[in-house]
Amino acid sequence: MKFYRVHQDTASAYTGSLDAVNKWCLPGVEPCSRCHAGGGSPWLSYPCVDLSSLPRTELEKLSDPWPVSREEFSRLQALVAPLAPSWALLEPGAQLGPCEGKGSGRFGSLFLSDAASLFVQQASLGGLVAAGVKGLEGCPVTIRFRGKQAPALLQLQLELHGLLHRDCLPAVREPPCLTCGARKEDWPRTLILDAASLPEDRDVFRHRQGWATVIVSERFVEAVTRLELDGVRFEELEVREG
Ligand SMILES: [Zn+2]
């Protein structure tokens, strides 16, 4: 099985853009006293998670990305965990709930926002499901679109799979910080996927270590080609055994 990274097709004539975020988020964390790592990253998104049963005062805290202490972060993380999928990584900055905001322009069948969020038009999602593509869980966006034809977009909630093969990691790795566990490491310039870490029953997912990398299988690419869907392009990634 071949695997591909998804990119927005910038050569297409589509002009679609979103000025939107998910309804809730986990805040960032204050910098670590030892290694100064902190903040958060917005790449992990779980649009199908519904936090609306939580008290309003907590939802206010879960709407503000501003960094909090690690203790407060852990408390909010524990509050969210029972409402999120068991496989979800709930890291600082993770996005939760339906995508809300404004949009404009024309969208293709597929739309990749900020390299990390994959959106699919409702009709195209139906086609992909009917073609047997696995791993398609989507949540309709609540976005106000300017212009006559508002697209019916769904944001995919992507599972996390795939690890880097050791051949694309530095030979000598810095140990993780003793206080917070963060590891200072550059993302490899050329991605090599570890064959054993790739799923057989998921055709679209997020890289487990590089959260801004959306990966699809050969089956997904074949279905997109057959259905003549557009808006994104695919870059084959090297997969290595052992
Ligand atoms: Zn640290």
Side-chain angles (χ1 to χ4, degrees), residues 7-53:
H7 296 277
Q8 180 65 15
D9 184 5
T10 48
S12 77
Y14 294 115
T15 54
S17 73
L18 297 181
D19 177 14
V21 289
N22 296 86
K23 191 173 175 71
W24 304 290
C25 65
L26 280 169
V29 288
E30 289 165 355
C32 168
S33 56
R34 185 188 292 259
C35 75
H36 309 298
S41 63
W43 311 126
L44 293 168
S45 56
Y46 306 104
C48 305
V49 172
D50 183 5
L51 301 185
S52 56
S53 60

Side-chain angles (χ1 to χ4, degrees), residues 63-202:
S63 305
D64 185 357
W66 191 256
V68 298
S69 69
R70 278 166 204 270
E71 293 70 31
E72 172 66 355
F73 176 81
S74 300
R75 192 186 72 78
L76 292 170
Q77 190 186 42
L79 214 56
V80 167
L83 300 167
S86 57
W87 49 262
L89 278 178
L90 297 170
E91 297 292 327
Q95 303 287 301
L96 301 145
C99 200
E100 301 180 327
K102 290 184 292 188
S104 63
R106 285 176 58 240
F107 290 80
S109 325
L110 296 148
F111 176 73
L112 189 70
S113 170
D114 299 327
S117 264
L118 187 58
F119 295 83
V120 186
Q121 300 254 13
Q122 180 94 56
S124 309
L125 187 74
L128 289 168
V129 170
V133 171
K134 302 276 193 299
L136 294 166
E137 189 185 10
C139 176
V141 301
T142 46
I143 289 177
R144 280 172 290 115
F145 287 98
R146 262 207 316 254
K148 270 184 254 165
Q149 285 188 322
L153 288 180
L154 292 103
Q155 184 183 15
L156 294 186
Q157 176 161 293
L158 300 174
E159 291 187 10
L160 295 142
H161 297 283
L163 298 172
L164 295 172
H165 191 275
R166 56 189 156 80
D167 290 354
C168 70
L169 292 168
V172 182
R173 301 181 71 187
E174 296 254 344
C177 169
L178 291 172
T179 302
C180 74
R183 196 193 274 271
K184 273 193 193 134
E185 209 154 65
D186 291 334
W187 186 243
R189 202 173 282 233
T190 307
L191 216 60
I192 305 173
L193 301 173
D194 181 351
S197 70
L198 295 164
E200 283 173 10
D201 58 348
R202 290 289 177 268

